[in-house]
């Protein structure tokens, strides 16, 4: 049986393969509120959030979605209590170490977007290792936005372009959308077709500002740790009803 046939078998019958988003991006919000509702400390919500992300990655792979991008930590999240920030950094490091073998076996390619150089050294090392060991994998492209901010990404792209102009490698009037895209962290990854935000907040929170210009947005009240396959199925059904016009008629 080919990989394609396996995927077709897994795909729920009410979803149309030809209308699946190629790239899904998620703002995984509501871990803290989930924990609070259970009478648990916020960090327990983050732990459960990891399980929800693992399930979603597996589901995307099973259903033949080519790319998944998840917002794990924003440039603004450093402003949280130090214990929560420390817990998250350690959690990211531990999960990466634990999951690497499975990602390799499952043919998952992982990459990271964001200002990685200011993450803890040990986490940077784990990131480099996972990126290197999965770089030739092709079943799904999994991108994790860590210390990511859309504005920061745009500013660093401007700086890099300015340096090229200063060095005489580029003329200002040669700068176009393609030039700009090449300097974004996400270069080489298609723009998200579908952006999902959990926990009901109607905002973007500095995520992929350039890339979501024409993404379809789906917001659910479900808190991230409760976002499961059936919730994702619902989001995809909703997406498949949309008419994407891209400014045309
Ligand atoms: C999202 O959940 C996870 C991160 C931002 C790291 P939150 O921690 O923002 O959960 P709420 O929004 O406070 O419920
Ligand atoms: C967005 O969630 C960032 C991540 C999911 C990593 P936040 O909880 O930080 O966003 P706000 O504060 O509600 O806008
Ligand atoms: Mg939040």
């Amino acid at each position: 049986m080919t990989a394609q046939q396996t995927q077709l078998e897994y795909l729920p019958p009410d979803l149309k393969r030809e209308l699946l988003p190629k790239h899904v991006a998620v703002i995984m919000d509501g871990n803290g509120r989930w924990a609070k509702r259970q009478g648990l400390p916020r960090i327990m919500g983050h732990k459960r959030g990891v399980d929800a992300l693992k399930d979603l990655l597996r589901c995307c792979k099973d259903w033949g979605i080519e790319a998944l991008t998840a917002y794990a930590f924003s440039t603004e999240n450093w402003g949280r209590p130090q214990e929560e920030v420390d817990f998250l950094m350690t959690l990211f490091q531990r999960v990466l170490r634990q999951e690497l073998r499975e990602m390799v076996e499952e043919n998952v390619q992982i990459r990271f977007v964001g200002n990685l150089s200011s993450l803890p050294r040990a986490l940077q090392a784990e990131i480099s290792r996972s990126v290197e060991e999965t770089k030739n994998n092709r079943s799904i492209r999994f991108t994790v936005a860590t210390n990511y901010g859309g504005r920061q990404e745009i500013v660093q792209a401007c700086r890099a372009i300015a340096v090229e102009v200063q060095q005489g490698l580029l003329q200002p009037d040669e700068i176009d959308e393609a030039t700009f895209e090449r300097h974004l962290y996400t270069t080489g990854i298609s723009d998200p077709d579908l952006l999902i935000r959990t926990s009901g907040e109607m905002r973007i929170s500095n995520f992929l500002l350039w890339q979501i210009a024409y993404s379809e947005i789906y917001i659910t009240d479900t808190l991230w740790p409760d976002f499961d396959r059936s919730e994702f199925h619902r989001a995809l059904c909703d997406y498949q009803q949309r008419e994407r016009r891209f400014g045309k008629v």
Side-chain angles (χ1 to χ4, degrees):
M1 193 185 279
T2 66
Q4 185 78 12
Q5 278 169 327
T6 318
Q7 286 161 5
L8 281 168
E9 256 181 42
Y10 278 120
L11 192 68
D14 57 340
L15 289 176
K16 297 191 191 70
R17 166 151 304 278
E18 65 282 8
L19 289 182
L20 279 180
K22 286 187 176 6
H23 181 179
V24 174
V26 277
I27 301 176
M28 311 184 287
D29 196 20
N31 291 350
R33 277 163 283 173
W34 181 92
K36 195 172 172 202
R37 279 185 202 171
Q38 320 280 321
L40 297 168
R42 290 179 57 83
I43 57 168
M44 292 309 288
H46 296 315
K47 273 181 110 168
R48 288 295 292 266
V50 171
D51 297 333
L53 179 58
K54 278 163 59 180
D55 289 347
L56 180 63
L57 175 62
R58 181 168 293 280
C59 186
C60 285
K61 188 177 168 280
D62 287 347
W63 292 355
I65 289 168
E66 292 169 19
L68 172 68
T69 297
Y71 201 6
F73 193 87
S74 75
T75 47
E76 288 72 37
N77 288 150
W78 295 110
R80 294 185 175 205
Q82 192 60 45
E83 315 84 79
E84 182 170 343
V85 171
D86 290 346
F87 177 85
L88 284 167
M89 294 301 146
T90 310
L91 179 70
F92 296 155
Q93 190 188 326
R94 192 174 66 230
V95 170
L96 265 181
R97 189 165 352 102
Q98 281 169 356
E99 300 302 320
L100 180 57
R101 187 214 296 253
E102 195 174 332
M103 287 193 292
V104 169
E105 282 168 4
E106 296 283 326
N107 205 14
V108 173
Q109 184 189 84
I110 191 167
R111 57 180 280 180
F112 290 80
V113 292
N115 182 4
L116 306 180
S117 61
S118 38
L119 293 171
R121 281 288 156 85
L123 176 56
Q124 286 186 49
E126 220 56 70
I127 286 176
S128 305
R129 192 156 75 102
S130 63
V131 170
E132 179 59 28
E133 290 192 24
T134 64
K135 68 180 182 204
N136 298 319
N137 291 357
R138 288 293 173 262
S139 75
I140 186 167
R141 234 168 171 197
F142 176 41
T143 304
V144 188
T146 314
N147 192 18
Y148 175 88
R151 289 183 171 180
Q152 190 272 336
E153 179 182 39
I154 288 170
V155 168
Q156 67 76 37
C158 289
R159 279 200 192 130
I161 293 170
V163 169
E164 288 180 21
V165 171
Q166 194 178 40
Q167 292 173 340
L169 299 168
L170 196 65
Q171 294 301 313
D173 59 5
E174 289 172 340
I175 301 169
D176 57 11
E177 291 186 12
T179 318
F180 204 80
E181 222 144 31
R182 275 198 298 279
H183 291 83
L184 294 172
Y185 294 131
T186 53
T187 183
I189 308 172
S190 66
D191 290 341
D193 300 295
L194 171 62
L195 171 67
I196 298 172
R197 181 166 188 150
T198 56
S199 88
E201 307 295 355
M202 304 279 184
R203 55 178 173 259
I204 299 301
S205 301
N206 205 9
F207 192 40
L208 302 177
L209 297 180
W210 170 279
Q211 298 85 343
I212 60 168
Y214 270 104
S215 303
E216 294 296 327
I217 299 176
Y218 178 87
I219 294 174
T220 169
D221 285 336
T222 301
L223 303 173
W224 177 251
D226 290 330
F227 190 86
D228 59 11
R229 239 170 222 248
S230 65
E231 293 282 344
F232 185 47
H233 183 189
R234 206 166 297 144
L236 291 176
C237 286
D238 193 277
Y239 171 82
Q240 296 205 327
Q241 305 302 315
R242 309 273 181 99
E243 188 193 348
R244 301 188 74 190
R245 284 193 292 274
F246 298 99
K248 302 178 185 114
V249 288

